[in-house]
Each structure stands twice: as structure tokens, then as C-alpha cells.
Amino acid sequence: MSNWVDVGEVKLRVETSGEGPPVLLLHGHPRTHTTWHRVAPLLARGFTVVCPDTRGYGQSSKPPTTEDHEPFSKRVMARDCVELMRRLGHEEFAVVGHDRGAYVATRLALDHPERVRALAVMDAVPIGEALARCDAKFAHDWFHWFFFAQPGKPERAINADPDAWYNVGTRNTPERMGAENFADFHRAIHDPATIFCMLEDYRAGLGIDRAHDDADRAAGRRIQCPTHVLWAAHDDMTDLYGDMLTIWRDWTTGPLTGAEIDSGHHMAEEAPEELADELATFLNRS
């Protein structure tokens, strides 16, 4: 059952399950917390699992934006998560983030090291790192990062036919995603307010989020907790970046480990057992 937790500026829709050390699971774009529906029950055997819709996504609050897109910065989203966990009674916790959620999770570990005891990131490198390494291949294959940053234009394109934009009926189907997860995703992509907020996430990424990452690099701030990096065998992370651990080694001081998952990009939906085993092993040793 979903609950809404008031974290100050916004209310987050959240589901919790299980008992044991707390772990926060953060979804990516264009998913909601239900993307974890196959993984959360497996982790709940040994952990207290917390799955929110991040601000702007799914059924969580959709606050107004500002010229610099700060309300959708990963720093603000991370602050939401700290308050969410505090209000649920968890002062210290592990965090797992996929896709855009990995950027929120990374910012959590950088901004709140006293709160985050372990970090797992899935199919991501830090935003500042991605943009610093941007080349023609990245711009071609990940063109949406730059299109989404345009004012007004992506809203018109997506809202004209959300199903076509988000591959409904081809890559995204009830059979592949699970019926309830698909229904939640489908409802979200047909809500223009949600589309706007998801685009604001990307707009923040090209500006204020990159500035925060670059400031951390310049100041020598790094992730202090144990960090586990996961990448999908059938996505393009290694094509773009080569050895993923080499990238993350420059961002961490704590123990760094990693593994490839035999999956496409949406690991939680496509390879839940392998992913849950990998996460549980990491979390238990951290």
C-alpha cells in the first residue's frame, strides 16, 4: 500500500517492506517506485526496504520550478530523501539508485556522508563526469539529455504521443514490466505535469547538478562509504566509458566494487533475482 510522507517542501509517495537494516531504492526516468516490484520483496527478507517516487515523478508532489531549475536538482532531491528516511525512523541507511536515481544517490553520499552507510549505483557515472567526457557518440546516442533541456519543445513532442515516445507496446509492455508496474508507469507518462517535472530533472542535470559535481571535484570531496557499481551487459555503459570502476575510483575513497548484470538497462525489471543477490551480498558486507 502506498503512503505519502510530508518531507517539508513536498510529499513523497512511498512504499516500505521488510525488517532489518534500512535501504533506500531510487528509480530512474521515466519509472516510478514500482520499478522495484520484483526486487523489493527479495531484499525485504533481510532489510527494511523504502521505495519512494522522487519529487516530480509518479504521484509525488510536483513543485514549481525556478530559472536555474534548482527545485529539481539532485541536491534538493537528496535532501528530500534524508528527511523521508528520518521521518521513517532511519538516521543512517544504505541507498541504491538506478539511472537518474543514481545521481540522487550519489549526491546523497556526497552531501550527507554521516547518513549514508553504503551506496550502490546502477548504469550511471556522475553527471559531471558524463558531461566532461561528452563526445559525438554520446551526443548521438544520448541526444535526449540535450533535447530535454530545451524550453517547451520536449513537452510538446512527448505529450503529443507519450506511448510512442516511451516505446509502449514494444520495449515497455505489461508482460515485460509486470502489469501493476506498467500501469503506474503508463499513468505517469500520460500526466503532463509529470512530464514537465521529469524534464526539469534533466534541465537541472545540464546546469546546477553539473556545477555541484564540478565544485566537489575541485574541492577534492569524494564518496566515503563503501560503493558498489553495477552496469547492464546489454546497455552502453562500457561502450561509452570502458572500465566503470576506473571512472568511479576518482570519486570514492571507501571500498569500491562492481559487477556486470546480464540484463538490459532496466535491471530491476529484467534480472531481479541476479540484481537482488548482488545487492544483498554488497549490503551485508558493508
Side-chain angles (χ1 to χ4, degrees):
M1 178 181 294
S2 295
N3 296 299
W4 278 260
V5 177
D6 188 334
V7 298
E9 295 179 3
V10 295
K11 291 182 179 179
L12 301 182
R13 182 177 63 154
V14 59
E15 292 200 23
T16 61
S17 59
E19 293 184 359
V23 56
L24 176 67
L25 303 183
L26 300 177
H27 63 83
H29 166 267
R31 298 305 203 250
T32 73
H33 77 278
T34 62
T35 194
W36 300 107
H37 74 108
R38 292 172 175 150
V39 171
L42 301 175
L43 289 179
R45 296 170 183 172
F47 301 92
T48 298
V49 180
V50 180
C51 301
D53 292 348
T54 53
R55 69 160 57 197
Y57 283 78
Q59 295 182 37
S60 287
S61 297
K62 296 164 176 55
T65 193
T66 58
E67 186 174 348
D68 64 356
H69 315 291
E70 190 263 350
F72 294 89
S73 68
K74 308 311 158 289
R75 174 159 287 163
V76 170
M77 289 184 174
R79 195 167 64 223
D80 289 343
C81 292
V82 168
E83 185 61 16
L84 168 66
M85 296 302 277
R86 188 188 71 80
R87 297 197 182 199
L88 293 176
H90 310 305
E91 296 294 335
E92 186 182 56
F93 53 91
V95 59
V96 177
H98 174 249
D99 186 78
R100 305 301 291 185
Y103 306 137
V104 181
T106 300
R107 184 47 53 194
L108 263 167
L110 286 165
D111 285 0
H112 306 277
E114 75 287 356
R115 302 284 193 181
V116 178
R117 67 172 185 84
L119 166 69
V121 292
M122 300 162 52
D123 258 6
V125 300
I127 290 176
E129 192 78 48
L131 292 173
R133 292 168 175 266
C134 180
D135 58 12
K137 176 175 174 54
F138 182 91
H140 178 274
D141 295 351
W142 288 43
F143 77 96
H144 63 281
W145 274 36
F146 309 103
F147 177 59
F148 285 176
Q150 305 307 307
K153 295 179 180 179
E155 284 91 339
R156 291 195 293 275
I158 295 170
N159 289 326
D161 193 346
D163 286 353
W165 186 270
Y166 286 113
N167 302 300
V168 172
T170 54
R171 289 204 299 266
N172 293 317
T173 65
E175 292 74 25
R176 294 186 68 175
M177 296 176 63
E180 292 185 9
N181 178 35
F182 174 83
D184 207 61
F185 149 80
H186 196 250
R187 181 166 49 247
I189 66 170
H190 280 264
D191 178 6
T194 301
I195 295 297
F196 174 77
C197 291
M198 292 195 294
L199 295 172
E200 283 294 293
D201 176 353
Y202 280 84
R203 289 166 181 147
L206 293 192
I208 193 169
D209 291 333
R210 183 183 189 179
H212 292 156
D213 278 9
D214 290 350
D216 284 336
R217 289 302 298 273
R221 283 188 289 272
R222 294 189 178 193
I223 296 162
Q224 301 173 24
C225 64
T227 301
H228 196 51
V229 181
L230 298 171
W231 58 94
H234 309 298
D235 203 4
D236 60 356
M237 288 287 102
T238 56
D239 290 340
L240 287 169
Y241 302 114
D243 183 0
M244 292 287 284
L245 294 184
T246 297
I247 302 291
W248 281 96
R249 196 164 286 118
D250 287 341
W251 289 80
T252 58
T253 58
L256 176 66
T257 52
E260 184 176 81
I261 301 293
D262 185 15
S263 170
H265 179 61
H266 293 286
M267 293 178 247
E269 297 168 4
E270 299 175 37
E273 292 85 4
E274 182 182 355
L275 176 60
D277 286 347
E278 191 70 35
L279 290 174
T281 299
F282 166 65
L283 295 170
N284 279 322
R285 72 170 180 252
S286 300

